[in-house]
């Protein structure tokens, strides 16, 4: 994304101006000019994003701006990295301060700035030559709307649309439309593009029962470039089928007159209206006043990709989230398209020799009806011997064979706010079919600079970005744990869209075992993903001097050795992201001693590492003063030197440290996991004013006063091999929301006042609570999630009493081997939505009310 590149370059120039002012003698004015000019260009870029698809001149201009932004960033980073060759970074700056009267020209930076300034002047003139200017919102949406209308025209043949797998749900939705509920309410059909929302809505409206159940019906398609006047006119036309003279009258009516006209027409009638493909709540707000509630069972159906639109809070509504088809449903739909009915009405079946190959291709569609239908139609016109060719290039064939597969999916991308587009494109670097760890994804986004630095709580902003991509049906939730999305994935077709866009925008490069050694292709590469061929790639890293992000995804766990790591650190001096979590590091001996050259990566913001032995870090780690995240996966322990205390930007330290841990000076630290009690006891926690998530293990005794110094804590995990005698000190943790305790609890507080006041998530393992503990827990006023696992309850009967757990929404029970009965009294857990039970007593009696609830991982 060019906007992201320019935004980051502007931030780096700002850093240079504020942090290195003493060294900018002679060129400070030029740096300010660069910052202002790039900021101005950023405004144009937001308006040219969609034009790139159709205008080669605009595409070239955007590429020139992006490359200029990269060069500006390189100038800043080159200046920042040069003094680091002489030892410690800040010490080196002081050493050179006395001889830098020549200013940045000492490093040739002044000449580089002058050359870049000349290029930017030419680029600005190019904007005029290409006719690039800032445009209004109406103009910005015009091309998108034309594509939208074309898609609707090419996919609106309702008579031939296939609905497979939704038969029972279709019947259920028809019942919702016709049920004996007189108040008007809204039915929302929610799902990603291509799932069949419009198809399902048409089947509902055209069913015989529905046709006879309403006095009048209408269908309104909402375009991207809608106006309230346009929506009202289309709704009136759909209801009334007006004559020519009436149309002429409507054109002269004001917006208020149209709204009143529609309202009066519908008043007293039982009506059904479908509002198809709403992208924004404002479109619904534009229409809702014109729909009267006649108290006679009128219904409104909306289809949308965006969950906030579906969840209309001030209306009585029913949300149906369209699911993906299962394997058999997918195969049935495929056969309907690939093998149409014969002339005598008999359905043909897949020839035995093609079924295995066909099922493999259908499985790749992952239950998306649009992809399955296009695949079936494509293969229906191919000879059997051509099926292998289609399989080998499946996504290319699907997008080429249909003129609306790619556009339907691309609409979701084009409609994204510009700040979300980089976050979405970043998903393309994860391997096909992989589960994406959302915490890792968020920290990578932050390291890449996609989240504005001025945001104090960048993690929360990134979580909102993730939630919006989920709400827009571009990311699928795979697993939730407690109150967080733990893993997610993207559909293969969506991933192909992201890859296609990312390549076109030179956003990232996937190393395929080959390399184009031309300067233009290698010097501009900023992000590189290595799915295989580690050792060959390492021998070529000197061709990518300006690389900012390097991530290894090796499904076969291909290794690199410690010398390879030294080569990476010595050649890729500008790295911001180095992710080695999914590859093995070969070394001799029991201790892996990281190379001292890691200290040269002074711009590094994210470092992920995997090892199953002791890892010893060099003292040069103190140079990594931009580092925000250090993550260790595997069973390794990290021996961290005292220089870690210099990493003042560090926000997340997730590792099993060995020995003394000097983190008392890290005031930005938010996450500290896997530390033992002795390490924590030596920390002056009063300085950790931003610490939000803490995990302490091997607690030798049960006095919890050691935790009271950290008022900012929101999530706390404590583990002991003895027992917790009291939880009372935790009541003085005002911001604690999530509490996980692993170990026996001898005495449970007798009053809700003795728990953390805002506790909403409680997880207990090995607590051995008695039956009289449940009446205590159910008094907690804010508890929404409760997980009792691994012998946390030692009673035989668990009773949930009337009015108990007033806010509880999720209940999970696991490995409670002694539990024989669950009793749920009337009025207990009134807000409970999800219930899960696993590996408990086989004879356990579960009330029907709980059995009917969905599992927590589906939440």
């Amino acid at each position: 994304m060019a906007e992201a590149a320019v935004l980051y370059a502007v931030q780096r120039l700002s850093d240079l101006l504020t942090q290195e002012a003493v060294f900018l003698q002679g060129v400070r004015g030029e740096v300010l000019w660069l910052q202002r000019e790039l900021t101005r260009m950023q405004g144009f870029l937001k308006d040219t994003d969609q034009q790139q698809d159709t205008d080669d001149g605009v595409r070239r201009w955007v590429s020139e701006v992006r490359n200029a932004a990269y060069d500006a960033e390189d100038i800043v980073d080159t200046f920042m990295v040069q003094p680091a060759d002489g030892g410690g970074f800040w010490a080196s700056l002081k050493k050179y301060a006395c001889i830098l009267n020549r200013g940045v020209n000492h490093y040739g930076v002044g000449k580089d700035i002058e050359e870049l300034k000349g290029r930017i002047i030419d680029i600005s003139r190019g904007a005029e030559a290409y006719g690039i200017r800032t445009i209004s919102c109406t103009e910005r949406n015009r091309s998108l709307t034309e594509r939208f209308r074309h898609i609707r025209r090419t996919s609106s043949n309702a008579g031939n649309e296939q609905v497979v797998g939704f038969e029972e749900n279709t019947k259920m939705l028809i019942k919702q439309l016709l049920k004996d509920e007189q108040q008007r309410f809204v039915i929302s059909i929610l799902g990603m593009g291509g799932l069949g929302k419009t198809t399902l809505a048409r089947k509902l409206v055209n069913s015989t029962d529905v046709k006879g159940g309403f006095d009048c019906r209408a269908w309104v398609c909402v375009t991207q470039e809608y106006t309230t006047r346009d929506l009202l006119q289309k709704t009136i036309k759909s209801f009334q089928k007006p004559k020519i003279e009436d149309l002429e009258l409507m054109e002269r009516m004001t917006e208020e007159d149209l709204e009143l006209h529609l309202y009066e027409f519908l008043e007293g009638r039982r009506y059904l209206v479908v509002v198809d493909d709403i992208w924004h709540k404002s479109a619904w707000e534009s229409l809702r006043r014109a729909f009267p509630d006649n108290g006679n069972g009128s219904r409104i159906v909306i289809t949308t990709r965006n969950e906030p639109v579906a969840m209309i809070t001030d209306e009585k509504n029913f949300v149906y989230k369209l699911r993906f088809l299962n394997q058999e449903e997918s195969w049935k739909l495929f056969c309907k398209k690939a093998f149409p009915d014969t002339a005598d009405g008999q359905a043909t079946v897949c020839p035995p020799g093609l079924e295995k190959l066909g099922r493999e291709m259908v499985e790749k569609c992952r239950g998306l009806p649009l992809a399955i239908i296009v695949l079936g139609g494509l293969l229906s016109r191919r000879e059997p011997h051509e099926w292998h060719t289609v399989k080998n290039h499946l996504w290319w064939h699907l997008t080429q064979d249909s003129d609306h597969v790619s556009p339907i999916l691309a609409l979701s991308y084009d409609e994204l706010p510009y700040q979300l587009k980089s976050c979405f494109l970043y998903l393309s670097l994860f391997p096909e079919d992989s589960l994406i760890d959302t915490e890792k994804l968020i920290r990578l986004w932050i390291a890449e600079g996609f989240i504005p630095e001025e945001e104090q709580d960048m993690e929360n902003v990134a979580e909102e970005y993730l939630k919006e991509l989920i709400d827009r049906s571009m990311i699928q939730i795979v697993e939730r744990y407690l109150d967080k999305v733990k893993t997610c994935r993207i559909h293969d077709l969506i991933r192909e869209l992201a890859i296609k866009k990312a390549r076109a925008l030179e956003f990232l490069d996937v190393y395929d075992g080959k390399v184009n050694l031309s300067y233009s292709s290698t010097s501009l590469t900023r992000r590189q993903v290595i799915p295989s061929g580690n050792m060959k790639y390492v021998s070529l890293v000197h061709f990518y001097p300006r690389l900012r992000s390097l991530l290894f995804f090796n499904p076969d766990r291909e290794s690199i050795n410690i010398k390879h790591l030294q080569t990476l650190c010595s050649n890729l001096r500008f790295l911001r992201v180095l992710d080695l979590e999914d590859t093995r590091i070969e070394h001799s001996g029991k201790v892996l001693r990281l190379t001292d050259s890691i200290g040269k990566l002074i711009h590094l913001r994210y470092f992920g590492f995997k090892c199953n032995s002791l890892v010893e870090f060099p003292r040069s780690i103190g140079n990594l003063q931009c580092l925000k995240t250090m993550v260790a996966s595997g069973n390794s322990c990290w021996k961290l030197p005292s220089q870690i205390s210099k990493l003042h930007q560090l926000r997340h330290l997730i590792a099993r440290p060995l020995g003394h841990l000097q983190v008392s000076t890290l005031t930005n630290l938010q996450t500290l996991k896997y530390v033992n009690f002795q390490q924590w006891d030596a920390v002056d926690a009063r300085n950790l004013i931003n610490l939000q998530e803490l995990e302490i293990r091997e607690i030798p005794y049960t006095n919890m006063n050691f935790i009271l110094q950290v008022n900012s804590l929101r999530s706390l995990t404590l583990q002991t091999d003895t027992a917790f005698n009291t939880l009372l000190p935790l009541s003085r943790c005002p911001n604690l929301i999530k509490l996980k305790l692993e170990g026996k609890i001898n005495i449970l507080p007798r009053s809700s006042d003795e728990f953390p006041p805002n506790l909403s998530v409680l997880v207990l393992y090995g607590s051995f609570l008695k039956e009289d503990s449940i009446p205590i827990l159910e008094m907690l006023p804010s508890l929404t999630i409760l997980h009792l696992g691994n012998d946390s309850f030692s009673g035989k009967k668990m009773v949930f009493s009337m009015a108990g757990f007033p806010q509880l929404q999720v209940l999970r029970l696991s490995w409670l081997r002694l539990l024989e009965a669950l009793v749920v009294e009337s009025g207990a857990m009134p807000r409970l939505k999800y219930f899960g039970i696993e590996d408990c007593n086989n004879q356990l009696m579960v009330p029907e009310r709980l059995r009917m609830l969905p599992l927590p991982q589906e939440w």
Side-chain angles (χ1 to χ4, degrees):
M1 287 300 301
E3 306 107 288
V6 173
L7 176 62
Y8 198 81
V10 170
Q11 289 176 346
R12 299 298 288 138
L13 289 168
S14 178
D15 293 342
L16 185 64
L17 288 166
T18 56
Q19 297 176 15
E20 313 301 329
V22 68
F23 304 117
L24 293 178
Q25 298 176 24
V27 293
R28 182 177 178 82
E30 281 77 3
V31 174
L32 280 168
W33 184 91
L34 286 176
Q35 184 186 36
R36 287 194 298 267
E37 191 66 15
L38 286 173
T39 301
R40 188 177 71 86
M41 286 183 174
Q42 189 180 0
F44 288 103
L45 288 170
K46 295 177 184 178
D47 296 324
T48 59
D49 190 51
Q50 294 168 16
Q51 300 176 47
Q52 295 182 69
D53 293 334
T54 56
D55 192 319
D56 290 337
V58 172
R59 188 182 303 115
R60 285 193 296 271
W61 184 84
V62 170
S63 179
E64 290 171 2
V65 174
R66 180 175 58 248
N67 293 341
Y70 285 162
D71 287 344
E73 183 187 347
D74 289 343
I75 289 172
V76 176
D77 288 351
T78 300
F79 173 67
M80 300 286 281
V81 81
Q82 289 283 357
D85 291 328
F89 177 57
W90 297 111
S92 298
L93 282 182
K94 293 178 181 178
K95 175 181 175 182
Y96 283 110
C98 62
I99 62 171
L100 281 181
N101 290 328
R102 288 169 289 175
V104 293
N105 288 298
H106 181 75
Y107 300 116
V109 174
K111 179 182 177 181
D112 292 338
I113 291 177
E114 283 296 326
E115 291 178 354
L116 181 58
K117 181 177 179 180
R119 282 175 52 201
I120 289 180
I121 290 173
D122 290 340
I123 292 172
S124 296
R125 292 170 180 163
E128 299 175 9
Y130 293 133
I132 296 171
R133 57 188 178 84
T134 53
I135 58 177
S136 66
C137 291
T138 300
E139 291 176 294
R140 186 179 299 118
N141 287 332
R142 186 163 294 146
S143 63
L144 193 62
T145 299
E146 288 304 315
R147 288 159 53 204
F148 177 89
R149 287 171 176 163
H150 173 71
I151 291 168
R152 283 299 177 211
R153 286 194 297 269
T154 58
S155 60
S156 60
N157 189 356
N160 293 327
E161 290 174 318
Q162 305 281 356
V163 178
V164 172
F166 303 134
E167 290 83 358
E168 292 302 317
N169 291 309
T170 302
K171 293 177 182 178
M172 179 267 293
L173 289 175
I174 290 176
K175 286 183 179 179
Q176 287 288 332
L177 288 172
L178 301 177
K179 73 177 183 179
D180 189 21
E181 168 64 59
Q182 297 307 305
Q183 182 180 350
R184 182 200 74 184
F185 71 86
V186 178
I187 295 176
S188 301
I189 303 176
L190 170 67
M192 70 172 280
L195 265 181
K197 300 181 296 296
T198 300
T199 300
L200 180 58
R202 287 193 186 279
K203 293 297 181 182
L204 294 177
V205 172
N206 292 330
S207 71
T208 304
D209 291 339
V210 171
K211 283 182 178 179
F214 295 90
D215 299 328
C216 53
R217 296 172 297 138
W219 185 287
V220 185
C221 185
V222 182
T223 64
Q224 292 287 323
E225 184 196 346
Y226 77 87
T227 64
T228 302
R229 178 185 181 84
D230 181 49
L231 289 180
L232 289 169
Q233 285 182 338
K234 287 196 293 187
T235 308
I236 292 171
K237 292 174 185 177
S238 184
F239 270 125
Q240 293 184 305
K241 309 298 185 292
K243 299 177 181 178
I244 294 179
E245 54 270 24
D246 295 327
L247 292 173
E248 294 174 350
L249 177 62
M250 283 174 55
E251 290 299 323
R252 297 194 297 269
M253 295 173 68
T254 65
E255 184 179 303
E256 291 76 13
D257 290 338
L258 289 168
E259 182 180 313
L260 180 60
H261 176 81
L262 179 58
Y263 187 94
E264 290 178 346
F265 172 78
L266 294 176
E267 200 166 21
R269 288 183 168 91
R270 189 183 190 200
Y271 60 87
L272 169 65
V273 59
V274 177
V275 188
D276 187 31
D277 219 356
I278 298 183
W279 291 77
H280 305 285
K281 285 185 177 181
S282 56
W284 165 247
E285 295 295 333
S286 299
L287 281 174
R288 56 175 299 180
R289 291 188 303 272
F291 298 140
D293 186 356
N294 298 319
N296 59 2
S298 294
R299 301 287 183 262
I300 300 167
V301 176
I302 68 173
T303 70
T304 182
R305 306 182 189 197
N306 297 344
E307 189 165 354
V309 175
M311 306 296 293
I312 300 171
T313 56
D314 55 350
E315 291 282 339
K316 184 171 183 181
N317 69 326
F318 176 84
V319 179
Y320 174 60
K321 192 167 185 177
L322 211 56
R323 62 176 176 82
F324 291 90
L325 301 179
N326 62 35
Q327 289 186 0
E328 286 309 310
E329 292 166 346
S330 298
W331 181 247
K332 180 179 178 182
L333 178 59
F334 168 77
C335 289
K336 281 189 174 185
K337 296 297 293 184
F339 312 107
D341 295 348
T342 59
D344 59 2
Q346 297 296 314
T348 58
V349 296
C350 181
L354 293 176
E355 182 169 347
K356 182 177 182 296
L357 184 59
R359 284 186 178 273
E360 289 176 356
M361 285 187 278
V362 170
E363 185 177 356
K364 294 291 291 181
C365 295
R366 292 195 175 277
L368 186 68
L370 174 64
I372 296 167
I373 289 171
V374 173
L375 176 65
L378 169 64
L379 293 177
S380 71
R381 304 189 302 275
R382 297 296 179 97
E383 296 298 324
H385 68 271
E386 295 179 291
W387 280 36
H388 281 283
T389 303
V390 174
K391 177 179 180 292
N392 292 335
H393 304 280
L394 181 61
W395 301 126
W396 184 88
H397 281 285
L398 286 186
T399 54
Q400 294 297 313
D401 190 70
S402 170
D403 61 355
H404 61 271
V405 171
S406 291
I408 283 177
L409 299 177
L411 275 176
S412 293
Y413 170 80
D414 293 334
E415 217 276 333
L416 286 175
Y418 84 95
Q419 68 270 20
L420 287 183
K421 288 184 175 179
S422 294
C423 295
F424 170 73
L425 294 181
Y426 204 72
L427 298 170
S428 65
L429 61 81
F430 292 94
E432 185 177 1
D433 300 330
S434 65
L435 300 183
I436 302 171
D437 183 310
T438 56
E439 282 193 344
K440 177 177 181 176
L441 178 64
I442 283 171
R443 289 164 186 160
L444 285 170
W445 282 349
I446 291 172
E448 292 282 0
F450 299 157
I451 312 300
E453 288 277 354
E454 62 268 16
E455 296 287 352
Q456 179 62 30
D457 197 345
M458 291 188 287
E459 286 75 12
N460 279 349
V461 174
E463 280 192 24
E464 288 300 315
Y465 285 7
L466 177 67
K467 183 179 184 299
E468 186 161 358
L469 288 171
I470 292 171
D471 288 345
R472 290 171 177 266
S473 303
M474 302 189 77
I475 293 179
Q476 304 164 29
I477 297 174
V478 176
E479 182 183 4
R480 285 185 183 267
Y481 180 67
L482 303 179
D483 59 337
K484 298 280 189 179
V485 176
K486 185 177 180 181
T487 56
C488 64
R489 67 152 51 103
I490 55 174
H491 191 278
D492 288 348
L493 269 180
I494 295 290
R495 180 174 177 270
E496 286 297 313
L497 168 68
I499 289 173
K500 181 180 178 181
K501 292 284 186 181
R503 285 174 176 166
L505 297 170
E506 298 175 351
F507 183 80
L508 59 82
D509 175 56
V510 178
Y511 175 69
D512 58 1
K514 305 174 184 178
V515 63
N516 181 349
L517 299 184
S518 68
Y519 176 80
S520 60
S521 67
T522 58
S523 64
L524 295 178
T525 302
R526 314 301 274 193
R527 300 179 185 89
Q528 201 142 38
V529 181
I530 316 300
S532 62
N534 290 353
M535 297 180 70
K536 183 177 180 181
Y537 175 80
V538 172
S539 68
L540 300 169
V541 293
H542 57 284
F543 290 107
Y544 300 96
R546 304 187 181 192
L547 200 66
R548 292 316 198 271
S549 302
L550 181 60
L551 303 97
F552 288 81
F553 290 103
N554 299 149
D556 299 324
R557 297 295 187 266
E558 186 178 356
S559 64
I560 61 176
N561 61 43
I562 195 66
K563 290 183 179 180
H564 292 148
L565 182 58
Q566 182 174 353
T567 301
L568 293 175
C569 295
S570 298
N571 286 275
L572 305 178
R573 305 285 298 280
F574 296 150
L575 277 183
R576 292 198 295 255
V577 171
L578 179 57
D579 182 14
L580 302 169
E581 291 180 74
D582 204 25
T583 193
R584 290 188 296 110
I585 308 293
E586 288 184 353
H587 65 98
S588 58
K590 296 182 179 180
V591 179
L592 170 58
R593 291 180 173 86
L594 290 184
T595 170
D596 193 64
S597 59
I598 195 172
K600 295 181 179 181
L601 304 179
I602 68 167
H603 298 295
L604 199 65
R605 286 157 171 74
Y606 182 99
F607 181 57
F609 195 79
K610 181 174 185 177
C611 187
N612 291 320
S613 59
L614 174 62
V615 180
E616 186 174 314
F617 279 76
R619 297 176 63 188
S620 63
I621 193 177
N623 293 344
L624 310 185
Q625 296 191 24
C626 294
L627 196 63
K628 296 181 183 298
T629 299
M630 291 180 69
V631 180
S633 56
N635 298 318
S636 65
C637 291
W638 284 17
K639 188 175 181 180
L640 298 167
S642 60
Q643 283 74 18
I644 192 177
S645 62
K646 298 180 180 180
L647 308 185
H648 298 293
Q649 295 300 315
L650 193 64
R651 300 166 78 91
H652 308 284
L653 178 56
I654 304 169
R656 291 175 174 83
L658 185 68
H660 191 49
L661 185 62
Q662 299 192 30
V663 297
S664 299
T665 59
L666 306 184
T667 56
N668 283 304
L669 196 65
Q670 293 185 8
T671 306
L672 182 59
K673 286 188 174 182
Y674 310 130
V675 299
N676 62 44
F677 176 79
Q678 286 186 330
Q679 293 166 333
W680 174 255
D681 196 42
V683 172
D684 185 355
R686 292 172 297 180
N687 295 328
L688 304 182
I689 56 176
N690 289 300
L691 190 63
Q692 297 183 16
E693 185 174 1
L694 175 64
E695 180 174 336
I696 305 175
R697 312 196 74 80
E698 303 174 23
I699 301 173
Y701 60 89
T702 56
N703 184 351
M704 291 192 183
N705 288 324
F706 63 86
I707 207 68
L708 298 182
Q709 303 176 51
V710 190
N711 289 326
S712 57
L713 272 183
R714 297 172 62 85
S715 175
L716 176 63
T717 298
L718 301 175
Q719 182 270 333
T720 181
D721 292 326
T722 56
F724 298 107
N725 283 329
T726 178
L727 303 181
L728 185 59
L730 297 179
S731 65
R732 284 167 275 174
C733 297
N735 296 303
L736 193 63
I737 294 175
K738 185 189 303 180
L739 176 62
K740 181 178 180 180
L741 299 176
E742 300 179 26
K744 186 177 180 181
I745 299 176
N746 287 335
I747 302 175
L748 200 65
R750 308 306 299 177
S751 166
S752 61
D753 295 335
E754 298 177 10
F755 284 88
N758 294 301
L759 188 66
S760 63
V761 178
L762 179 61
V763 180
L764 300 177
Y765 288 158
S767 307
F768 291 95
L769 297 177
K770 305 298 182 183
E771 291 186 2
D772 60 355
S773 61
I774 299 302
I776 299 173
L777 295 179
E778 66 184 6
M779 293 188 299
L780 296 178
S782 302
L783 194 66
T784 58
I785 299 174
L786 176 63
H787 182 186
L788 300 177
N790 294 53
D791 297 320
S792 58
F793 184 81
S794 58
K796 293 184 178 181
K797 186 177 182 180
M798 189 179 292
V799 179
F800 299 92
S801 61
M802 182 174 60
F805 292 109
Q807 300 298 327
L808 195 67
Q809 297 183 26
V810 180
L811 175 62
R812 174 177 282 174
L813 308 176
S814 61
W815 291 95
L816 304 181
R817 294 169 293 182
L818 301 178
L819 186 61
E820 296 179 356
L822 291 174
V823 177
V824 181
E825 296 181 357
S826 177
M829 300 181 289
R831 297 179 180 270
L832 193 66
K833 297 179 179 179
Y834 306 96
F835 172 75
I837 187 166
E838 52 188 327
D839 297 311
C840 290
N841 189 333
N842 291 332
Q843 305 302 317
L844 177 61
M845 296 181 293
V846 180
E848 183 179 2
R849 178 193 163 192
L850 297 183
R851 290 201 308 269
M852 298 298 291
L853 292 174
L855 297 173
Q857 60 261 32
E858 297 174 354
W859 170 47

